[in-house]
Each structure stands twice: as C-alpha cells, then as structure tokens.
Amino acid sequence: MSHFIYLVRHGEQQDAEHGLPDGPLSARGKRQATLIADRLSGVPFTSVFHSPLQRAEDTANTITERLPGITSEPSALLFDCVPSGPGADMPAAFEPFFGSVTEAQIEAGEAQMADAIGEWMTPSLEDRHTLLITHNFVIANFVREVFSASSWRWMGINQANCGLTIIRVRTVKAPELITHNDLGHLPPELRTGLPVDQPY
C-alpha cells in the first residue's frame, strides 16, 4: 500500500514584489488556486494541511471548497523556513543566500523539517492521499528527502505558484517522486514564482 503526498506551493501573493512577508493572494494567485483546485477535485484526500501564512491558507480554502467533506488544518510544520545551513560540498554560488540568514533561523528550520518529514513521509497500511499546501523551500526539502541528497540540496529545486509535486511513500521500497512542479493545469501567463532565467 502507498501513502501519496501531494505538495502544492501557495498561489501568487498580492504585492509580493514589494517584499511583504505575507498577505492575501493576488488576482492571478486566485486564478492559480482555482485551477489547481479543479485539477485536484477528484482525488480521494484523507487529510489536508496548510501553512498558517495567509497566502497558503487562502490557497487551501479555494482547494477545499471543491473537496466535499474535507477541511484543511493549519500546521506550523509547513511554515516557510530555511531547511538547513550550507554544506561542505555546496557550490560557492549558493553561499550569498546565507549572508542574511541567522544560525537561529537555520536551527529552527532544521528542527521543523525533521518533524515534517517524520510526520508525513511515512508509509501506510492502506492507500492514503495527503495534501500539503506550503512554500517553495519546504517542498524542495521534501523532494531532497526522496533522494536522500545532501542536506543543502533543497537549494536549486524550485516550484512555481500552485505547481503540483507528488511523492509516493511505500512500505518496503524507497520513496518515489511521481511528478515534480507539474504546471499542466496552468496556462503560460499564470506560471509565476520560478527564477526569471528558468524556462517554463
């Protein structure tokens, strides 16, 4: 039997370009959330969780409107965070990112991600479908965990707003990445949140 984990990055945030730490979805973010909601409406989810930040909660509310009998629960394990500090084998090109990150932020992120992996990257005795609405770095760290990659390797793994990643956790075999950052439900003009030099 398998535990399927569906990871969705929140929709585009209103005024995100002004550096606000949190806020409601933009008009484009609402459209993104509606389209991922339509895509997921037929999945037999057993549970849904979201980051307590508003942009994730707004996305979760839009999705669960199309999931009869399912509500989304906030979880601090899905907060936006820095999942780890730099590693000895990390390319120097990533070092500037950590210039403004404190040791306390790194320690908190490591602890949060260890708990999140322990909570959800678990097999099931019967097929189970869990939806997590969260943030770019958090999803990247789940993907890193699938491959047991170096702790810093979440860096460079990017998800668009309302992109879909699916992980299958099995009882005996290693976890499997089913799909990563699938954007098939979004037209090109709604594919936001990726680095500007990355083709969509």
Side-chain angles (χ1 to χ4, degrees):
M1 297 298 177
S2 300
H3 180 194
F4 294 91
I5 305 169
Y6 299 71
L7 295 142
V8 172
R9 186 183 178 191
H10 59 80
E12 181 186 73
Q13 179 186 329
Q14 181 177 311
D15 296 326
E17 67 272 16
H18 300 306
L20 297 177
D22 192 25
L25 296 180
S26 66
R28 186 159 53 182
K30 292 175 182 177
R31 291 176 62 201
Q32 292 164 340
T34 297
L35 290 172
I36 187 65
D38 289 342
R39 173 143 186 203
L40 296 174
S41 62
V43 178
F45 288 113
T46 47
S47 55
V48 181
F49 299 91
H50 65 272
S51 160
L53 294 177
Q54 185 177 358
R55 56 191 185 273
E57 182 175 0
D58 288 353
T59 305
N61 288 339
T62 298
I63 293 173
T64 54
E65 284 175 359
R66 288 163 174 76
L67 300 174
I70 292 285
T71 57
S72 185
E73 300 178 35
S75 173
L77 299 182
L78 297 174
F79 262 125
D80 201 5
C81 72
V82 176
S84 76
D89 59 339
M90 186 186 76
F94 287 123
E95 291 177 2
F97 171 84
F98 291 99
S100 60
V101 179
T102 67
E103 286 295 324
Q105 287 175 313
I106 291 172
E107 290 177 6
E110 288 174 339
Q112 176 187 320
M113 285 290 87
D115 288 346
I117 295 299
E119 177 72 18
W120 288 299
M121 287 283 286
T122 54
S124 175
L125 296 177
E126 56 186 17
D127 282 349
R128 185 155 57 104
H129 300 264
T130 300
L131 173 59
L132 307 178
I133 298 106
T134 182
H135 305 275
N136 189 37
F137 293 167
V138 174
I139 298 171
N141 195 62
F142 271 91
V143 174
R144 180 211 61 76
E145 181 69 18
V146 170
F147 298 108
S148 299
S150 299
S151 61
W152 62 270
R153 199 57 188 89
W154 54 272
M155 301 190 74
I157 302 174
N158 294 295
Q159 290 69 220
N161 296 116
C162 287
L164 174 63
T165 294
I166 305 173
I167 294 170
R168 180 187 181 193
V169 183
R170 298 174 287 184
T171 305
V172 178
K173 298 179 181 179
E176 178 183 16
L177 184 64
I178 302 294
T179 188
H180 173 248
N181 194 41
D182 188 341
L183 304 179
H185 50 285
L186 298 177
E189 67 271 15
L190 292 184
R191 297 176 183 180
T192 62
L194 290 172
V196 293
D197 58 349
Q198 181 171 325
Y200 297 131

